[in-house]
Amino acid sequence: MGLKYGMIGGGKDAFIGGVHRKAIALDSTAELVAGAFSSNPEKALASGKELGVKRNYPTWEAMLEGELALPEDERIDFVVIVTPNHMHYPTAKAFAEAGFNVVSDKPLVHTSEQAEDLVRIVKEKGVVFGVTYNYTGYPMVRQAREMVRRGDLGKIRKVIVEYNQGWLATRLEETGAKQADWRTDPKRSGIAGAMGDIGSHAENLMSTITGLHISHICADLTTFVEGRQLDDDGNVLLKFDNSGKGVLIASQIEIGMENDLRIRVFGEKGTLVWHQEDPNYLEFHKLGEPMQILKRGNDYLCDAAKKATRIPSGHPEAFLEAFANIYRGVAEAIEARKAGQPLTEFEFPTVEDGTIGVRFIEKVVESSQSDQKWTEF
Amino acid sequence: MGLKYGMIGGGKDAFIGGVHRKAIALDSTAELVAGAFSSNPEKALASGKELGVKRNYPTWEAMLEGELALPEDERIDFVVIVTPNHMHYPTAKAFAEAGFNVVSDKPLVHTSEQAEDLVRIVKEKGVVFGVTYNYTGYPMVRQAREMVRRGDLGKIRKVIVEYNQGWLATRLEETGAKQADWRTDPKRSGIAGAMGDIGSHAENLMSTITGLHISHICADLTTFVEGRQLDDDGNVLLKFDNSGKGVLIASQIEIGMENDLRIRVFGEKGTLVWHQEDPNYLEFHKLGEPMQILKRGNDYLCDAAKKATRIPSGHPEAFLEAFANIYRGVAEAIEARKAGQPLTEFEFPTVEDGTIGVRFIEKVVESSQSDQKWTEF
Amino acid sequence: MGLKYGMIGGGKDAFIGGVHRKAIALDSTAELVAGAFSSNPEKALASGKELGVKRNYPTWEAMLEGELALPEDERIDFVVIVTPNHMHYPTAKAFAEAGFNVVSDKPLVHTSEQAEDLVRIVKEKGVVFGVTYNYTGYPMVRQAREMVRRGDLGKIRKVIVEYNQGWLATRLEETGAKQADWRTDPKRSGIAGAMGDIGSHAENLMSTITGLHISHICADLTTFVEGRQLDDDGNVLLKFDNSGKGVLIASQIEIGMENDLRIRVFGEKGTLVWHQEDPNYLEFHKLGEPMQILKRGNDYLCDAAKKATRIPSGHPEAFLEAFANIYRGVAEAIEARKAGQPLTEFEFPTVEDGTIGVRFIEKVVESSQSDQKWTEF
Amino acid sequence: MGLKYGMIGGGKDAFIGGVHRKAIALDSTAELVAGAFSSNPEKALASGKELGVKRNYPTWEAMLEGELALPEDERIDFVVIVTPNHMHYPTAKAFAEAGFNVVSDKPLVHTSEQAEDLVRIVKEKGVVFGVTYNYTGYPMVRQAREMVRRGDLGKIRKVIVEYNQGWLATRLEETGAKQADWRTDPKRSGIAGAMGDIGSHAENLMSTITGLHISHICADLTTFVEGRQLDDDGNVLLKFDNSGKGVLIASQIEIGMENDLRIRVFGEKGTLVWHQEDPNYLEFHKLGEPMQILKRGNDYLCDAAKKATRIPSGHPEAFLEAFANIYRGVAEAIEARKAGQPLTEFEFPTVEDGTIGVRFIEKVVESSQSDQKWTEF
């Protein structure tokens, strides 16, 4: 498409930076031309060199300055922020204020105030701002969303959404594992552990598919692994503003569970079931009829699901393609903005979605510390 | 085995009475010789005639009297109570007090007081008293219980147990469906709907496998179907006295879910997953090792699992065999009692297990009505 | 129902005799009143005593004589033959000729001549004669048969049927395992090993569901375990008389496969997939539509499937219930014969089905020894 | 890596060209700098323009000439051939003879003579030559291969490999569907239809995992869809040179089957099962032990499986990543050749593997037309 992007964070040893780069490369959505790949300038430069990036900056501040110094059409079209969580806010704020489009990893920022600040800046500056709640990029998630929207399920009564992992069942952060290290450190990760890292994905998946808004929350967070500073397990009861109910489970101590994000949506007319580890399928249970399994890549799917698909049914697509779909949506919005015809509907999670995610984390922690059953959302 | 039994309830139109009879017949565990098959004397006699029962009584009172009038060795060895819930207590009490062994359907009775009364009587009279929490009869449930007991999972951290059904997603009780009718009527069903009917099964399955005791409970019950008098959905957070946590979900409005009882037990060393609709398998996840699927009927299983199996692996066993295993355990205890050597360990749910189930229902309802987060169990 | 039956074979150490008895007991279809439970008279009598049978005979000849000596209404209504294969013919012949209804285990007999002899006798004497190809008793197999019959699949193009087992992957017959011993001995088992024991089940399942007739066959039988006298693995290409094609696989050396009987039927309009180890489900793929999974016990199923079901959907039924359904069909036919209104359609595998099974075994062996590709069936 | 490649075929309307490009882009394995994207020069140029390729040629001959005219270090490092089958040979031959490394789609060529000619040229010129039997790029296929190699299964007794599709169940080629059109045309597709298109994938998967060589073959090909010129279904019995047996099934008329490539490998000590539509898992059945499911991305896997993995377990990888792994292997070999240290072992299917595939197609067709049971391979 001819777009250019820069990256903050995501250097050597990082996991998610490479995922973003591959997802963008998959469709040749944009070219990586600039980067400040670490908070450590030496590491940053070394990583950029290894990646063969043209404009290799020691710090994100240098990158901001450097890009602004370029003629407008040579600058990056968007910046991708894949740092530990605590760096999302300052970087996103600075680049958005300077008029750059931004893609930030989730959770968006540490506090609702920061999030609302970003919402304000995005509105003022008219920039495109995406948050990589990547699981909503799966075609069958978009099919599910469409089926709810068009009423196939009737009014939604109940949602069970779970994100089960087991990789933190032992004190991995003591072994030098970088991913475990910062995720269990409140300074970098924020006030929540498992709930911030993956519970927020579960919330976003639920909100995206159902369109429901949480009205009340009752949370119980636990730290099972001794010495750990943040929750590694949480179970949450939910009330929605349509009077529906929900259960949200997120854990990183469930041995053998790998990346077991799954959702069940129960309506008055039918039920949908989707599972991230088996993402090409969507179960549909219609009252009184045989269960159906809808499969990616088939003609009977909705347009949004078809558009998010690259290869024929039976040739499985997976995590990276879903991630790439988020970037496709972002690129589409950026192209529209460049063309002076900004979009009003976005096929990617926005700064507003990210703000709900931040509030979710705050409210879960607040509720978990409360003796009161229900905390208003 | 030469045992004889009588049945209260379970006549025409009933579902569960036939299940009990088939389960007993499967192993020729006992012969049905007496019955009072309905609260309506005419229906009772008609049902008994159809079943070809020798001693056909119009009422359970007549049956009690009639059996007591017989020489001791001609009397029934045990009575099976398969009435709607409200009749469990008076019938169980009367027969147990008269020295008869009893098998009662679950939930045991309506109140903890009634339950404790039965516990007292059972102890005084020395009768055998089983409660048909039938799901604990599955061989792979017994395998799971053994694996927890022998420490394969280490200390249990978390349990997720669910009983998902959808058959009451509409107001079936208005259509003349007998099963729906009494289950949604507080007079006959008790203070809880879905939670009493199936939530209590979930509780018992969890308690049986893990041996954990609930210390606190936080419940949210809902009635989704308009006009219904009892809950048809409930979600519960749990604390265990070993400081573990739990989630218990029971619903009868989840369209397409049939009899989806499932449990996940997460320990410090591994995880077990079992699913009632696929009951011959047990998933075992051991830290750092490939996932295993243990299958019924294999040499590598524990004795209790092997003993509960009739046919070779791959020849699936199911619901009725599990039910029959409960009766095998009961019969074993009755034979031991007859032989003057009463057992001290029982391979079936006892009146004490039933009492916990009754308290569970009471506490769930209490918690659901409370603004306080945690209700002591 | 008040029927009485006797059993030949099926004493101590036997596997399948107990299965037959449990299957009959499950529905109280008939009462076991007579038996000659072993070819060894002492074992026979000991087994009969243990089973508490009233008329306990040392030999099947004594049983035939003894039963004939009784008043007609006291005699057994049918005899169940569960001996090793070589005894099927003499016993079935003798009892059928004497006017008794017969249920024989499969394969029916050793040769087509014997089979045709039985067909003739059955016709002459008007007796009911069932062969326990038990897998056709599963409700979802009957659903599949109905869907083919009513044209849901259009013309059948191809069938893949497999019966995969692994229990004979080592030379189990040398270890004293009775089931392995006679099944690998040509004198008792017949000319085929795996193909006779389980390949014939696969043939019957295919014929029952599809109604197709095999016209040509191309077989490759192998004995993998050194020293074994009969095939333990076989793969067969098939031509049907409707110009369809087929593949039939039967093996007992596939480690880890337990009782993995499965069938896929491909028609011009759709596809059916069924798996014995997961028997409550039937996959249906309709051209251009989402895959469906039909589940036992639901209203949308055909009458034959509903009639073969005892308990609600989600409460799994399995092997024994399917077996019991065969006996239900037999009992229905016997009752009709007793009432002087013999049936013309049978809901169980008949002596004619058994005859096709015998021919299948003969032709598979013949083809396997031939250099010619196709052997006429 | 700084490699450059050109592409022949794969323009507008093509399916597989885009897959190759995405697979190469995913890891930034090489940059697309040249192309002759269609046999129609106008389409070729239009496609190249759309793709933004630097050196856009109207024909492959022009591309060969053009590239050779460049200084050696500016030329493409390899050419990717993704034309219909009939163009594989002339293009591959021309480029290989000119010293270019080649990646060709499968089946390699139309005849064994052509294939052997390519083998000769590759040897003479020392070029790297890969054939995109892409399914061998899956990490769990490499795990399976390693487990066979290191003896986890013992001697292989039997293999069942299937490639089930349904997309040609109707006469799609008459509807203007380009993929169906050329695949059913013997001039472009070759002497086999389904067997050439997907049966050859099944053969390669089997050969790759097991290392076995086919010694004899017995095939039955069918054309089910009236008017179609090539087989759309085939079933093959196999003998291996280790005295093992096999069954290979390939079909494109099995409605509902999407891209259902699956393999079961049975050895004297264990069994492996893998399924392309669920590619992150590998079933392992060890004699007498619980079944295991090995999952991609875990530490317990072999090096080859780990090296073929990009993201953590539970974050599913799929078709494109497997494809990309083939290109990683090719790139590694090209880099080694450039460095003057050509590899002796290849982590991709070679021209020799492609030659076996061509012979497989020839022999299947020969056997299918023969009355003799076994055709020598």
Side-chain angles (χ1 to χ4, degrees):
Chain A
M1 291 199 187
L3 293 181
K4 300 178 292 294
Y5 76 102
M7 182 170 268
I8 303 176
K12 291 180 184 186
D13 305 331
F15 150 55
I16 205 68
V19 167
H20 284 251
R21 290 191 294 268
K22 282 182 192 301
I24 296 170
L26 183 69
D27 296 320
S28 306
T29 299
E31 192 186 352
L32 177 64
V33 299
F37 295 100
S38 173
S39 55
N40 174 324
E42 272 175 53
K43 268 200 198 166
L45 293 173
S47 294
K49 198 174 161 192
E50 203 171 90
L51 288 164
V53 81
K54 288 180 212 161
R55 305 196 292 267
N56 193 10
Y57 299 99
T59 65
W60 66 266
E61 293 92 340
M63 177 164 148
L64 179 56
E65 198 177 347
E67 293 297 310
L68 283 173
L70 293 170
E72 212 165 314
D73 67 340
E74 288 181 25
R75 291 178 197 163
I76 53 171
D77 291 294
F78 62 99
V79 66
V80 173
I81 301 169
V82 288
T83 61
N85 302 343
H86 67 299
M87 290 305 297
H88 292 179
Y89 177 61
T91 53
K93 181 182 168 78
F95 275 81
E97 278 184 334
F100 287 96
N101 302 305
V102 176
V103 176
S104 170
D105 217 320
K106 43 52 59 184
L108 179 58
V109 288
H110 274 183
T111 69
S112 282
E113 290 69 35
Q114 295 172 343
E116 277 149 26
D117 194 33
L118 289 185
V119 170
R120 184 187 52 76
I121 296 168
V122 166
K123 199 171 282 174
E124 277 176 26
K125 299 292 175 180
V127 299
V128 173
F129 196 112
V131 183
T132 47
Y133 286 117
N134 52 291
Y135 297 109
T136 63
Y138 277 110
M140 300 316 279
V141 168
R142 293 183 174 176
Q143 174 70 19
R145 184 188 61 185
E146 174 61 19
M147 290 174 78
V148 171
R149 280 186 189 164
R150 75 187 181 204
D152 288 5
L153 272 69
K155 185 182 164 188
I156 303 304
R157 286 171 164 170
K158 181 172 183 177
V159 184
I160 305 175
V161 63
E162 309 170 54
Y163 202 144
N164 302 292
Q165 293 186 336
W167 67 293
L168 292 177
T170 60
R171 201 157 171 202
L172 199 60
E173 59 267 40
E174 298 292 279
T175 66
K178 200 195 152 181
Q179 295 305 316
D181 180 34
W182 74 258
R183 279 183 170 80
T184 57
D185 173 6
K187 289 202 204 74
R188 289 171 287 170
S189 189
I191 57 173
M195 267 297 155
D197 191 26
I198 58 173
S200 60
H201 269 300
E203 176 279 316
N204 180 261
L205 181 69
M206 182 186 67
S207 299
T208 301
I209 290 178
T210 66
L212 293 178
H213 301 102
I214 300 171
S215 67
H216 295 81
I217 202 167
C218 169
D220 180 31
L221 303 190
T222 308
T223 303
F224 278 110
V225 174
E226 222 172 320
R228 184 164 287 160
Q229 298 184 63
L230 291 171
D231 61 281
D232 47 27
D233 181 87
N235 307 301
V236 187
L237 304 181
L238 300 168
K239 289 185 183 180
F240 299 113
D241 62 2
N242 80 336
S243 79
K245 297 294 179 75
V247 181
L248 186 150
I249 295 171
S251 182
Q252 297 181 315
I253 57 87
E254 297 172 355
I255 291 173
M257 306 298 104
E258 300 193 331
N259 203 37
D260 180 27
L261 173 63
R262 53 176 75 216
I263 187 165
R264 287 170 277 178
V265 181
F266 303 103
E268 292 187 349
K269 292 162 61 181
T271 292
L272 287 174
V273 179
W274 181 77
H275 183 202
Q276 191 272 148
E277 294 189 1
D278 206 15
N280 293 286
Y281 306 100
L282 178 65
E283 277 184 33
F284 180 34
H285 303 262
K286 217 168 159 178
L287 188 63
E289 296 190 15
M291 168 184 169
Q292 293 186 347
I293 297 184
L294 286 73
K295 303 188 180 185
R296 189 194 51 78
N298 281 287
D299 278 349
Y300 51 69
L301 299 177
C302 70
D303 287 344
K306 283 183 193 163
K307 201 179 154 189
T309 299
R310 286 155 189 80
I311 48 176
S313 67
H315 302 66
E317 290 186 356
F319 185 87
L320 282 177
E321 287 92 335
F323 224 111
N325 287 333
I326 304 293
Y327 275 104
R328 277 190 179 181
V330 168
E332 204 171 27
I334 292 174
E335 299 281 11
R337 186 189 170 208
K338 286 175 82 165
Q341 299 175 320
L343 301 179
T344 51
E345 274 196 85
F346 304 111
E347 193 58 300
F348 58 87
T350 64
V351 69
E352 283 84 5
D353 296 319
T355 302
I356 295 173
V358 173
R359 186 192 316 284
F360 174 75
I361 293 169
E362 290 175 334
K363 288 297 178 180
V364 162
V365 172
E366 178 187 334
S367 168
S368 184
Q369 293 164 349
S370 168
D371 288 340
Q372 211 183 326
K373 189 187 270 177
W374 294 107
T375 297
E376 240 178 285
F377 193 78
Chain B
M1 294 201 187
L3 294 180
K4 300 178 293 293
Y5 76 103
M7 182 171 268
I8 302 176
K12 292 180 183 187
D13 305 333
F15 150 54
I16 204 69
V19 167
H20 284 250
R21 289 192 294 267
K22 282 181 191 304
I24 296 171
L26 183 68
D27 295 322
S28 306
T29 299
E31 191 187 354
L32 177 64
V33 298
F37 295 98
S38 173
S39 56
N40 174 322
E42 272 175 54
K43 269 198 197 166
L45 293 172
S47 294
K49 198 173 163 192
E50 203 171 271
L51 288 165
V53 81
K54 287 181 211 158
R55 304 197 292 267
N56 193 11
Y57 299 100
T59 63
W60 66 265
E61 292 92 340
M63 178 164 146
L64 179 57
E65 197 176 346
E67 293 296 310
L68 283 172
L70 292 172
E72 213 163 315
D73 68 339
E74 289 182 24
R75 291 177 196 165
I76 53 173
D77 290 294
F78 62 99
V79 65
V80 173
I81 301 170
V82 289
T83 62
N85 301 343
H86 67 298
M87 290 304 297
H88 291 179
Y89 177 61
T91 52
K93 181 182 167 80
F95 276 80
E97 278 184 334
F100 288 96
N101 302 305
V102 176
V103 175
S104 170
D105 218 321
K106 43 50 59 186
L108 180 58
V109 289
H110 275 184
T111 69
S112 281
E113 289 69 32
Q114 294 171 344
E116 279 150 25
D117 194 32
L118 289 185
V119 170
R120 184 189 49 79
I121 295 168
V122 166
K123 198 171 284 176
E124 277 176 24
K125 298 291 174 180
V127 300
V128 174
F129 197 112
V131 183
T132 47
Y133 286 116
N134 51 293
Y135 298 110
T136 62
Y138 277 111
M140 300 315 279
V141 168
R142 294 184 173 176
Q143 174 69 21
R145 184 188 60 184
E146 175 60 19
M147 291 174 77
V148 172
R149 280 186 189 165
R150 74 187 181 207
D152 288 4
L153 273 68
K155 184 183 164 188
I156 304 304
R157 286 171 165 171
K158 182 173 183 177
V159 184
I160 306 175
V161 62
E162 310 171 53
Y163 202 144
N164 303 291
Q165 292 186 337
W167 66 293
L168 292 178
T170 61
R171 201 157 171 201
L172 199 61
E173 59 267 40
E174 298 291 278
T175 66
K178 199 194 152 180
Q179 294 306 315
D181 180 33
W182 76 258
R183 277 184 171 78
T184 56
D185 173 5
K187 289 202 205 74
R188 288 172 286 171
S189 189
I191 56 173
M195 266 299 154
D197 191 26
I198 59 174
S200 60
H201 269 300
E203 175 280 315
N204 180 261
L205 181 68
M206 182 185 68
S207 299
T208 300
I209 289 177
T210 66
L212 293 177
H213 302 102
I214 300 170
S215 68
H216 295 81
I217 202 165
C218 169
D220 180 30
L221 303 190
T222 308
T223 303
F224 279 111
V225 174
E226 223 174 318
R228 185 164 287 161
Q229 298 185 62
L230 291 171
D231 61 282
D232 46 27
D233 182 85
N235 307 303
V236 187
L237 304 181
L238 301 168
K239 289 186 184 178
F240 299 113
D241 61 2
N242 79 336
S243 79
K245 297 293 178 77
V247 180
L248 186 151
I249 295 172
S251 182
Q252 297 182 314
I253 57 88
E254 296 173 355
I255 291 173
M257 306 299 104
E258 298 193 332
N259 202 39
D260 180 26
L261 172 64
R262 54 176 74 218
I263 187 165
R264 287 170 276 178
V265 182
F266 304 103
E268 292 187 347
K269 292 162 61 181
T271 292
L272 286 174
V273 179
W274 181 79
H275 183 203
Q276 191 272 148
E277 295 189 0
D278 206 14
N280 293 285
Y281 306 101
L282 179 64
E283 274 183 35
F284 180 35
H285 303 261
K286 217 168 158 178
L287 188 62
E289 296 190 13
M291 166 184 169
Q292 292 187 346
I293 298 185
L294 286 71
K295 304 189 180 184
R296 188 194 51 78
N298 281 288
D299 278 349
Y300 51 70
L301 299 177
C302 70
D303 287 343
K306 283 183 192 163
K307 200 180 155 189
T309 299
R310 287 157 189 78
I311 47 177
S313 68
H315 302 67
E317 291 187 354
F319 186 87
L320 283 177
E321 287 91 335
F323 225 109
N325 287 334
I326 304 293
Y327 275 104
R328 277 191 182 181
V330 168
E332 204 171 26
I334 291 175
E335 298 282 11
R337 185 189 171 209
K338 285 175 82 164
Q341 299 174 318
L343 302 180
T344 50
E345 273 197 87
F346 305 111
E347 193 57 300
F348 59 87
T350 63
V351 69
E352 284 84 5
D353 296 319
T355 302
I356 295 173
V358 172
R359 187 193 316 281
F360 175 75
I361 294 169
E362 290 174 334
K363 288 296 177 181
V364 162
V365 171
E366 179 187 333
S367 168
S368 184
Q369 292 164 348
S370 168
D371 287 340
Q372 211 183 326
K373 188 187 273 177
W374 295 107
T375 296
E376 242 180 284
F377 194 77
Chain C
M1 290 198 189
L3 293 181
K4 300 178 293 294
Y5 76 103
M7 182 169 269
I8 302 176
K12 291 181 186 187
D13 305 331
F15 150 54
I16 205 67
V19 167
H20 284 251
R21 289 191 294 267
K22 282 181 190 304
I24 297 171
L26 183 68
D27 296 321
S28 306
T29 299
E31 191 185 353
L32 178 65
V33 299
F37 295 99
S38 172
S39 56
N40 175 323
E42 271 174 54
K43 268 199 200 167
L45 292 172
S47 294
K49 198 174 162 192
E50 202 171 273
L51 288 164
V53 81
K54 288 180 210 159
R55 304 197 292 267
N56 194 8
Y57 299 100
T59 64
W60 66 266
E61 292 92 342
M63 176 164 147
L64 179 57
E65 198 177 346
E67 293 296 310
L68 283 173
L70 294 170
E72 213 163 314
D73 67 339
E74 288 180 24
R75 291 178 198 164
I76 53 172
D77 290 295
F78 63 100
V79 66
V80 172
I81 301 170
V82 288
T83 62
N85 302 343
H86 67 298
M87 291 305 298
H88 291 179
Y89 177 62
T91 52
K93 182 183 167 79
F95 276 80
E97 277 183 336
F100 287 97
N101 302 304
V102 176
V103 175
S104 171
D105 217 320
K106 44 51 59 185
L108 179 58
V109 288
H110 274 183
T111 69
S112 282
E113 289 70 34
Q114 294 172 344
E116 279 150 25
D117 194 32
L118 289 185
V119 170
R120 184 187 51 77
I121 295 169
V122 166
K123 199 172 282 174
E124 276 177 25
K125 299 292 176 179
V127 299
V128 173
F129 196 112
V131 183
T132 47
Y133 285 117
N134 51 292
Y135 297 110
T136 62
Y138 276 112
M140 299 316 279
V141 168
R142 293 183 174 176
Q143 174 69 20
R145 184 188 62 185
E146 174 62 18
M147 290 174 78
V148 172
R149 280 186 189 164
R150 75 188 181 204
D152 288 5
L153 272 69
K155 186 182 162 188
I156 304 304
R157 286 171 164 169
K158 182 172 182 177
V159 184
I160 305 175
V161 62
E162 308 170 54
Y163 203 144
N164 303 292
Q165 293 186 336
W167 66 293
L168 292 177
T170 60
R171 200 156 171 202
L172 199 60
E173 59 267 41
E174 299 291 279
T175 66
K178 199 195 153 181
Q179 296 305 315
D181 179 34
W182 75 258
R183 277 183 170 81
T184 57
D185 173 5
K187 289 203 203 74
R188 288 172 287 170
S189 189
I191 56 174
M195 267 297 154
D197 191 26
I198 58 174
S200 59
H201 269 300
E203 176 280 315
N204 180 261
L205 182 69
M206 182 186 67
S207 298
T208 300
I209 289 178
T210 66
L212 293 178
H213 301 102
I214 300 170
S215 68
H216 296 80
I217 202 166
C218 169
D220 180 30
L221 303 189
T222 307
T223 303
F224 278 110
V225 174
E226 222 174 319
R228 184 164 287 160
Q229 298 185 63
L230 291 171
D231 61 281
D232 46 27
D233 181 86
N235 307 302
V236 187
L237 305 180
L238 300 168
K239 290 186 183 178
F240 299 114
D241 62 2
N242 80 335
S243 78
K245 297 294 179 76
V247 180
L248 186 151
I249 294 171
S251 181
Q252 296 181 315
I253 56 88
E254 296 172 356
I255 291 173
M257 306 297 105
E258 299 194 331
N259 202 37
D260 180 27
L261 173 64
R262 54 176 75 217
I263 188 165
R264 287 170 277 177
V265 181
F266 304 103
E268 291 186 348
K269 293 162 61 181
T271 292
L272 287 174
V273 179
W274 181 77
H275 183 201
Q276 191 273 146
E277 294 188 1
D278 206 14
N280 293 286
Y281 306 101
L282 179 65
E283 275 184 32
F284 180 34
H285 303 260
K286 217 167 158 179
L287 189 62
E289 296 190 13
M291 169 184 168
Q292 292 186 348
I293 297 185
L294 287 73
K295 303 189 180 183
R296 187 194 53 77
N298 281 288
D299 278 349
Y300 52 69
L301 299 176
C302 70
D303 288 344
K306 284 183 193 161
K307 200 178 154 189
T309 298
R310 286 157 190 78
I311 48 177
S313 67
H315 301 67
E317 291 186 356
F319 185 86
L320 282 178
E321 287 91 335
F323 225 110
N325 286 334
I326 304 293
Y327 276 104
R328 277 191 180 180
V330 168
E332 203 171 27
I334 292 174
E335 298 282 11
R337 185 189 171 209
K338 286 175 82 165
Q341 299 174 319
L343 302 180
T344 50
E345 274 195 85
F346 303 111
E347 193 58 301
F348 59 86
T350 63
V351 69
E352 283 84 6
D353 295 319
T355 302
I356 294 173
V358 172
R359 187 192 317 282
F360 175 76
I361 294 169
E362 290 175 334
K363 288 297 178 181
V364 161
V365 172
E366 179 187 334
S367 168
S368 185
Q369 293 164 349
S370 167
D371 287 340
Q372 212 183 324
K373 189 187 271 175
W374 294 108
T375 297
E376 244 180 283
F377 194 78
Chain D
M1 294 200 186
L3 293 181
K4 301 178 292 293
Y5 76 104
M7 183 170 269
I8 303 176
K12 291 181 183 186
D13 306 332
F15 149 55
I16 204 67
V19 167
H20 285 250
R21 289 191 295 267
K22 282 181 191 302
I24 296 170
L26 184 67
D27 295 321
S28 307
T29 299
E31 191 187 354
L32 177 64
V33 299
F37 294 100
S38 172
S39 56
N40 174 322
E42 272 175 53
K43 269 199 198 167
L45 293 172
S47 294
K49 198 173 162 192
E50 202 171 272
L51 288 165
V53 82
K54 288 180 211 160
R55 305 196 291 267
N56 193 10
Y57 300 99
T59 64
W60 66 265
E61 292 92 340
M63 177 163 148
L64 179 56
E65 199 177 345
E67 293 296 310
L68 283 172
L70 293 169
E72 212 164 315
D73 68 339
E74 290 182 23
R75 290 177 198 165
I76 54 172
D77 291 295
F78 61 100
V79 66
V80 173
I81 301 170
V82 289
T83 62
N85 302 344
H86 67 298
M87 291 305 297
H88 291 179
Y89 177 61
T91 53
K93 182 182 166 79
F95 276 81
E97 278 184 335
F100 288 97
N101 302 304
V102 177
V103 176
S104 170
D105 218 319
K106 44 50 59 184
L108 180 58
V109 288
H110 275 183
T111 70
S112 282
E113 289 70 33
Q114 294 173 344
E116 278 150 25
D117 194 32
L118 289 185
V119 169
R120 185 189 48 80
I121 296 167
V122 167
K123 198 171 284 175
E124 277 177 25
K125 299 293 174 180
V127 299
V128 173
F129 196 112
V131 183
T132 46
Y133 285 116
N134 51 293
Y135 298 110
T136 62
Y138 276 111
M140 300 316 279
V141 168
R142 294 183 174 176
Q143 174 70 20
R145 183 188 61 185
E146 175 61 18
M147 291 174 77
V148 171
R149 280 186 189 164
R150 74 186 181 207
D152 288 4
L153 273 67
K155 185 183 164 188
I156 304 303
R157 287 172 164 169
K158 182 173 183 177
V159 184
I160 305 175
V161 63
E162 310 170 53
Y163 203 146
N164 303 291
Q165 292 186 336
W167 66 294
L168 292 177
T170 60
R171 201 157 171 203
L172 199 61
E173 59 267 41
E174 298 292 278
T175 66
K178 201 196 150 178
Q179 294 306 315
D181 180 33
W182 76 259
R183 277 183 170 81
T184 57
D185 173 4
K187 288 201 205 76
R188 288 172 287 170
S189 189
I191 56 173
M195 267 298 154
D197 191 26
I198 58 174
S200 60
H201 269 299
E203 176 280 316
N204 180 261
L205 181 68
M206 182 185 69
S207 299
T208 301
I209 290 177
T210 66
L212 293 178
H213 301 103
I214 300 171
S215 68
H216 296 81
I217 202 167
C218 169
D220 180 30
L221 303 189
T222 307
T223 303
F224 278 110
V225 174
E226 223 174 318
R228 185 165 286 159
Q229 297 184 63
L230 291 171
D231 61 280
D232 46 27
D233 182 87
N235 307 302
V236 187
L237 305 180
L238 300 168
K239 289 185 183 179
F240 299 112
D241 62 1
N242 79 336
S243 78
K245 297 294 178 75
V247 180
L248 186 151
I249 295 172
S251 182
Q252 297 181 315
I253 56 89
E254 296 172 355
I255 291 173
M257 305 299 104
E258 299 194 330
N259 202 37
D260 180 26
L261 172 63
R262 55 176 74 218
I263 186 165
R264 288 171 275 179
V265 182
F266 304 103
E268 291 187 348
K269 292 162 61 181
T271 292
L272 287 174
V273 179
W274 181 77
H275 183 202
Q276 191 272 148
E277 295 189 359
D278 206 14
N280 293 286
Y281 306 101
L282 178 65
E283 276 183 33
F284 180 34
H285 303 260
K286 217 167 158 178
L287 188 62
E289 295 190 14
M291 167 184 169
Q292 293 186 347
I293 297 185
L294 286 72
K295 304 188 179 184
R296 188 194 50 77
N298 281 288
D299 278 348
Y300 51 70
L301 299 177
C302 70
D303 288 344
K306 283 182 193 163
K307 200 178 154 190
T309 298
R310 285 157 190 79
I311 48 177
S313 67
H315 302 66
E317 291 187 355
F319 185 86
L320 282 178
E321 286 91 335
F323 224 109
N325 287 334
I326 304 293
Y327 275 104
R328 277 191 180 180
V330 168
E332 203 171 26
I334 292 174
E335 299 281 14
R337 185 188 171 210
K338 286 176 83 165
Q341 299 174 320
L343 302 180
T344 51
E345 274 196 85
F346 304 111
E347 194 56 300
F348 59 86
T350 63
V351 69
E352 284 83 6
D353 296 319
T355 302
I356 294 173
V358 172
R359 186 192 316 282
F360 174 74
I361 294 169
E362 290 175 334
K363 287 297 176 179
V364 162
V365 171
E366 179 187 333
S367 168
S368 184
Q369 293 163 350
S370 167
D371 287 340
Q372 211 182 325
K373 188 187 272 177
W374 295 107
T375 297
E376 240 178 285
F377 194 79

